[in-house]
């Protein structure tokens, strides 16, 4: 009796299946990954540098007050996602793409005219925008992935998102050693805002094509 033949996948074929995207969804995944990285970038910036800005630029030495900026970003992100949980993905993208740059603009204004409440409002708006962009990005990633490959594709997405959390903050810390804080912040806000808008528009266009 002839024995059964078992097909053994090569490592390359197995890896390809673990990270497989649906046909025509590569651009959608790239846009979603970019949104994830951009959303996490503002979280990383406020977490690593928000308290330093409060103490150094605003002259506030209270550790409690200094921690308000990073707390506000994360709290606003969570509240926005829960409050708009039933809003469709297209509107969520639009709202996030509006709030995110608005918050970064106010953050730059708070550095130019050191004011705590302006900084906190900027943190709240950018945090809320980041939360909505991240929520949309996760949903788009799930849709773009092959059903059997969602875990692997989401793993890649989160690796990219966490790189977005760390690398811009490191780059900004290096930049302000050579360039004044305000122009550095304006540059960072411009790059992140432009990236968020372009990625959101790309993701929105992909939604309409489905």
């Amino acid at each position: 009796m002839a024995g059964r033949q078992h097909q053994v996948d090569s490592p390359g074929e197995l890896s390809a299946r673990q990270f497989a995207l649906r046909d025509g969804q590569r651009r959608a995944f790239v846009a979603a990954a970019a949104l994830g990285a951009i959303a996490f970038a503002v979280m990383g910036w406020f977490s690593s540098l928000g308290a330093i800005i409060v103490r150094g630029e605003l002259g506030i030495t209270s550790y409690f007050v200094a921690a308000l900026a990073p707390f506000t970003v994360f709290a606003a992100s969570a509240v926005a996602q829960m409050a708009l949980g039933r809003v469709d993905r297209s509107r969520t993208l639009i709202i996030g793409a509006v709030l995110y740059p608005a918050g970064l603009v106010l953050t730059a204004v708070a550095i130019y005219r050191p004011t705590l409440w302006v900084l906190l409002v900027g943190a709240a708006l950018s945090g809320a925008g980041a939360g909505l962009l991240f929520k949309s990005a996760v949903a788009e990633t799930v849709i773009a992935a092959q059903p059997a490959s969602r875990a692997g594709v989401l793993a890649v997405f989160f690796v990219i998102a966490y790189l977005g959390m760390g690398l811009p903050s490191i780059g900004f810390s290096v930049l302000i050693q050579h360039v004044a804080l305000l122009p550095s912040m304006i540059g960072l806000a411009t790059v992140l805002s432009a990236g968020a808008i372009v990625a959101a528009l790309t993701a929105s266009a992909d939604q309409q094509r489905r």
Side-chain angles (χ1 to χ4, degrees), residues 122-144:
L125 291 179
S126 57
L132 296 177
L133 292 178
F134 179 76
K135 179 183 177 182
S136 300
V138 171
E140 290 300 308
T141 299
V142 170
I143 294 172

Side-chain angles (χ1 to χ4, degrees), residues 2-163:
R4 292 183 179 178
Q5 294 183 348
H6 297 279
Q7 181 178 354
V8 179
D9 293 326
S10 68
E13 291 173 337
L14 182 60
S15 177
R17 282 214 309 271
Q18 288 176 333
F19 306 108
L21 298 173
R22 298 169 67 182
D23 291 340
Q25 294 300 304
R26 180 173 295 180
R27 191 179 79 158
F29 173 74
V30 171
L35 282 175
I38 290 167
F40 271 24
V42 77
M43 306 289 191
W45 188 88
F46 273 100
S47 295
S48 60
L49 299 170
I52 296 174
I53 298 300
V54 170
R55 298 184 69 188
E57 298 300 312
L58 276 63
I60 298 173
T61 57
S62 168
Y63 288 104
F64 173 78
V65 176
L68 282 178
F71 170 80
T72 300
V73 170
F74 284 96
S77 173
V79 170
Q81 291 181 63
M82 290 187 291
L84 300 180
R86 297 186 178 181
V87 176
D88 61 77
R89 295 195 314 277
S90 179
R91 289 185 179 181
T92 300
L93 269 174
I94 293 172
I95 296 171
V98 171
L99 293 179
Y100 187 91
L104 289 176
V105 168
L106 283 180
T107 302
V109 170
I111 294 174
Y112 177 66
R113 297 262 187 193
T115 311
L116 179 62
W117 73 265
V118 175
L119 179 67
L120 294 179
V121 172
L125 291 179
S126 57
L132 296 177
L133 292 178
F134 179 76
K135 179 183 177 182
S136 300
V138 171
E140 290 300 308
T141 299
V142 170
I143 294 172
Q146 291 282 2
S149 303
R150 284 174 182 166
V153 173
L154 279 170
V156 175
F157 167 83
F158 275 100
V159 168
I160 295 171
Y162 279 109
L163 287 174

